Amino acid sequence: SFTDSSLSERKRRDREERLNVVLWRQPLITLQYFFLETLINLKEWTIKLWHRRSILVAFLLMLAVLTAMYYIEGTHQQYVRYMEKKFFWCAYWVGLGILSSVGLGTGLHTFLLYLGPHIASVTLAAYECNSVNFPEPPYPDQIICPDEETTEGSISLWAIISKVRLEACMWGAGTAIGELPPYFMARAARLSGAEPDDEEYQEFEEMLEHAETAQDFASRAKLAVQNLVQKVGFFGILACASIPNPLFDLAGITCGHFLVPFWTFFGATLIGKAVIKMHIQKLFVIITFSKHIVEQMVSLIGAIPSVGPSLQKPFQEYLEAQRIKLHHRSDSGVPQGENWLSWMFEKLVIVMVCYFILSIINSMAQSYAKRLQQKMYSEEKTK
């Protein structure tokens, strides 16, 4: 008992020491550890690729064939350009989805920063243009109303949902891929019998030990998620993945710990996040940014005593500027200056991306600090 308590006390001290390895406390050490951890990871990935060199050679051959098709002139070029555009568009949203859920400790909230505003802009454009037949190109880089005549109120909710379905589903698929690391970590720990120094996994094991005596709401909520996933299986994972659920990492750890088959976990997660949950979120954004609701929100802002009119004016200017931009009438009399709302949003995106990059640097530096602590501990055991 004394040995166990001293070991847990040492682990606690080591964890506190690692948490101090951040840029704003120890900048030089943090940067040094970050670069060393990057080199170690590159070496490990190189060794893994060398062991799977047959797959790597096949991939390089396929890439060479695709490159030749890309540069050789012929009638197939129109299909090549179309597939290129679709591939990079899908890869962009899948990457944003992965960044949102994996995060290396701090996820980048790409739904609020990218997908949500994109759906909102398409919704506003659809109601303004009474159509979703935006010309390609320039859409999606720039949305301009089509020249065709349309009747007022001809746009439907289903048409807007269909217009943004591809990017929304790709983003949801990316979030499902980002949920795989906790699953693989817990599965590897269970199969090898090792005890990884991961806070979420340790919290999960402590929850299993004290499951009967847990009284607080957070512990009971986590226990409910764990029981649902363990007992119901595929449909339990599907239910957890289909709703906004901050505890879903626990579902991944639970599935890995109890050796749930990979395709059961990933299939349920993919359907829940890329199909069910994304349609719920998409519907919410589209309804929120429908034309009549936006106009009511702007009028309600103007009804606020004393400060209402001054707050209402920039919103009205922003909406009017968007309407003019959609119809491509840059020669109109409305000023084309930058709106403070768009300026604030741009700065918010820059701040959040910078914080995300800082969190990655801190996380990798702490991983290297953990390597040093484990090396020191193993040397002490061998003495």
Side-chain angles (χ1 to χ4, degrees):
S1 301
F2 176 76
T3 306
D4 291 342
S5 61
S6 61
L7 184 61
S8 61
E9 177 65 22
R10 173 166 184 164
K11 284 186 175 181
R12 184 188 64 79
R13 281 188 280 111
D14 288 345
R15 190 177 298 113
E16 290 178 355
E17 183 180 335
R18 286 200 307 272
L19 291 176
N20 287 324
V21 182
V22 288
L23 280 170
W24 47 89
R25 290 181 181 173
Q26 304 178 53
L28 295 178
I29 292 177
T30 303
L31 288 174
Q32 179 188 0
Y33 284 5
F34 166 73
F35 286 118
L36 291 172
E37 180 69 13
T38 302
L39 291 175
I40 291 172
N41 286 330
L42 288 174
K43 180 182 176 182
E44 291 176 351
W45 293 340
T46 304
I47 293 171
K48 287 179 181 179
L49 285 175
W50 176 251
H51 288 314
R52 294 171 177 81
R53 52 188 177 273
S54 57
I55 299 174
L56 180 62
V57 169
F59 175 77
L60 291 176
L61 287 174
M62 184 181 68
L63 188 63
V65 172
L66 292 175
T67 304
M69 290 177 62
Y70 184 82
Y71 285 105
I72 295 175
E73 295 295 332
T75 56
H76 66 283
Q77 282 298 321
Q78 56 179 331
Y79 305 106
V80 170
R81 301 303 174 192
Y82 175 79
M83 293 302 297
E84 178 191 16
K85 183 178 181 181
K86 288 296 181 184
F87 173 78
F88 283 111
W89 184 237
C90 293
Y92 172 75
W93 289 111
V94 170
L96 288 177
I98 293 173
L99 289 177
S100 178
S101 57
V102 66
L104 292 175
T106 303
L108 182 64
H109 302 290
T110 52
F111 182 85
L112 296 176
L113 293 176
Y114 296 99
L115 183 59
H118 171 71
I119 297 173
S121 64
V122 172
T123 304
L124 293 172
Y127 281 105
E128 178 62 26
C129 305
N130 292 314
S131 172
V132 291
N133 297 322
F134 311 129
E136 279 189 56
Y139 177 80
D141 300 319
Q142 181 184 359
I143 302 176
I144 300 175
C145 289
D147 296 329
E148 60 191 31
E149 293 293 330
T150 53
T151 57
E152 185 73 23
S154 60
I155 193 67
S156 66
L157 186 67
W158 183 253
I160 303 174
I161 291 175
S162 301
K163 187 67 176 177
V164 296
R165 180 179 289 120
L166 176 65
E167 43 266 47
C169 289
M170 289 298 103
W171 186 88
T175 61
I177 295 171
E179 298 291 353
L180 292 178
Y183 169 83
F184 284 122
M185 178 269 298
R187 183 181 179 86
R190 181 68 184 272
L191 291 173
S192 64
E195 296 183 2
D197 191 10
D198 183 86
E199 292 181 7
E200 289 185 348
Y201 189 76
Q202 288 181 351
E203 185 180 352
F204 169 76
E205 289 197 323
E206 289 175 4
M207 183 191 70
L208 291 181
E209 291 176 5
H210 306 290
E212 302 298 329
T213 59
Q215 297 294 329
D216 59 296
F217 175 78
S219 298
R220 283 183 293 176
K222 291 176 182 178
L223 188 62
V225 170
Q226 184 256 325
N227 288 331
L228 181 66
V229 170
Q230 183 186 358
K231 294 178 181 178
V232 183
F234 179 89
F235 293 101
I237 303 167
L238 183 65
C240 290
S242 300
I243 57 175
N245 184 3
L247 302 177
F248 191 77
D249 280 348
L250 187 64
I253 293 175
T254 302
C255 292
H257 181 79
F258 291 103
L259 304 180
V260 173
F262 170 77
W263 286 111
T264 301
F265 169 72
F266 185 66
T269 304
L270 186 64
I271 295 171
K273 286 184 173 290
V275 180
I276 301 174
K277 181 184 174 184
M278 272 319 305
H279 275 82
I280 295 172
Q281 291 177 297
K282 187 166 48 173
L283 193 63
F284 174 78
V285 174
I286 292 172
I287 291 174
T288 302
F289 285 89
S290 297
K291 186 176 181 180
H292 61 285
I293 294 180
V294 170
E295 290 174 351
Q296 288 178 0
M297 289 170 59
V298 174
S299 62
L300 286 174
I301 291 173
I304 300 174
S306 66
V307 296
S310 59
L311 287 175
Q312 187 185 40
K313 185 179 178 181
F315 282 96
Q316 289 176 332
E317 290 178 353
Y318 177 76
L319 292 175
E320 184 62 27
Q322 290 303 308
R323 290 191 184 100
I324 293 169
K325 185 179 177 182
L326 290 171
H327 292 288
H328 213 251
R329 290 184 286 131
S330 58
D331 56 341
S332 61
V334 177
Q336 298 294 316
E338 188 179 30
N339 187 276
W340 68 270
L341 287 174
S342 59
W343 183 87
M344 283 185 62
F345 181 75
E346 289 175 2
K347 298 304 177 282
L348 176 64
V349 171
I350 292 172
V351 169
M352 293 194 71
V353 169
C354 290
Y355 179 72
F356 178 67
I357 294 171
L358 289 177
S359 70
I360 292 176
I361 294 173
N362 292 336
S363 178
M364 293 185 69
Q366 290 169 8
S367 297
Y368 186 77
K370 177 182 172 183
R371 290 179 188 270
L372 294 179
Q373 291 170 349
Q374 289 176 341
K375 182 181 179 181
M376 188 182 301
Y377 182 68
S378 61
E379 288 176 352
E380 290 176 358
K381 287 179 69 176
T382 54
K383 287 182 180 179

